[in-house]
Amino acid sequence: MIAGGSSQQPASDPIPSHRLTDPGADSAAERVVEALRRRGGMASAPEIGHDLGIHSSTARFHLNQLVTAGRVQAGRENRASRGRPRTLFTLVSEPTEGPRSYQLLAEVLVSHLSRQPDPARAAVEAGRQWGRRFAGHDVVSLLEGIGFAPSTDQQRPGRIALGHCPFIDLAIEHPEVVCPLHRGVVEAVVGHQVTLEAHPGSTCFVTE
């Protein structure tokens, strides 16, 4: 697309991904949590002990620790039959679980940029700031990784067609923000200004 004649070596991973490791992820407590998940989020101490191959009192100790930490709730089993009801431990929903609303977040931020005195300029600068982390990468590979489905024009070197817009809904609603933002990202990657022929809903083109 834009880096057609660049001397930069293509990066093997244009969009770095970093997996954060929790040092406590393999702790006894985390194994108990995972055992609860496998049982649908609710179980007794003997059931967890059986699943993990540990004594039920040991399982109960860890479950009570999780209750203290607010990650598990304890309650008596509702039963119609005679006998002492079991204590059941229920996994509490964690902040990382549940639905995501990234579309809403994007709409909020784009709407904010659209109300700036010069939305296009603010959007270009936002794109440049984000794109600087990928300066020197192969821009076609970067755009491919984002989801633009880029293809180079063999007849016009330095011109890249964007066959797909991964942000099409917002681009149609706020082209004055989303399209300049894309241009800013590309400019930061290639290190100079580029031309963007924006056609939200159709093929767009970027040219050095």
Side-chain angles (χ1 to χ4, degrees):
M1 161 184 198
I2 272 179
S6 174
S7 61
Q8 296 287 343
Q9 293 296 321
S12 58
D13 183 10
I15 306 180
S17 60
H18 301 285
R19 181 182 178 87
L20 299 181
T21 301
D22 181 357
D26 193 39
S27 67
E30 292 304 320
R31 290 194 291 274
V32 169
V33 167
E34 186 57 33
L36 274 172
R37 289 198 183 103
R38 288 196 297 267
R39 282 193 172 261
M42 180 184 293
S44 66
E47 289 171 337
I48 296 300
H50 175 270
D51 292 350
L52 297 178
I54 59 178
H55 197 277
S56 60
S57 61
T58 303
R60 184 174 291 104
F61 168 80
H62 291 300
L63 286 164
N64 286 332
Q65 291 293 104
L66 289 167
V67 169
T68 301
R71 300 182 64 187
V72 169
Q73 292 179 341
R76 290 291 186 179
E77 176 186 30
N78 292 323
R79 56 188 302 177
S81 59
R82 300 177 62 180
R84 184 178 180 181
R86 298 181 303 167
T87 298
L88 295 179
F89 296 87
T90 304
L91 192 61
V92 176
S93 296
E94 298 177 0
T96 56
E97 298 177 346
R100 269 63 165 166
S101 298
Y102 297 126
Q103 177 73 16
L104 175 60
L105 175 62
E107 290 174 0
V108 170
L109 296 177
V110 168
S111 178
H112 173 73
L113 285 175
S114 70
R115 293 193 295 271
Q116 301 305 302
D118 189 343
R121 182 175 181 179
V124 168
E125 182 55 33
R128 286 173 179 165
Q129 289 183 14
W130 185 85
R132 288 190 185 108
R133 70 187 70 185
F134 305 112
H137 284 72
D138 176 59
V139 71
V140 177
S141 297
L142 177 65
L143 291 170
E144 179 69 34
I146 295 175
F148 282 102
S151 59
T152 55
D153 189 336
Q154 301 301 320
Q155 304 300 319
R156 299 177 61 178
R159 189 171 190 250
I160 302 173
L162 305 179
H164 174 71
C165 179
F167 316 109
I168 186 60
D169 294 338
L170 289 174
I172 290 176
E173 186 175 356
H174 294 287
E176 78 285 0
V177 171
V178 178
C179 298
L181 189 148
H182 296 164
R183 178 166 64 86
V185 170
V186 173
E187 289 181 345
V189 174
V190 301
H192 55 75
Q193 292 187 338
V194 302
T195 300
L196 171 64
E197 301 171 44
H199 308 287
S202 184
T203 303
C204 298
F205 299 91
V206 181
T207 307
E208 286 188 90

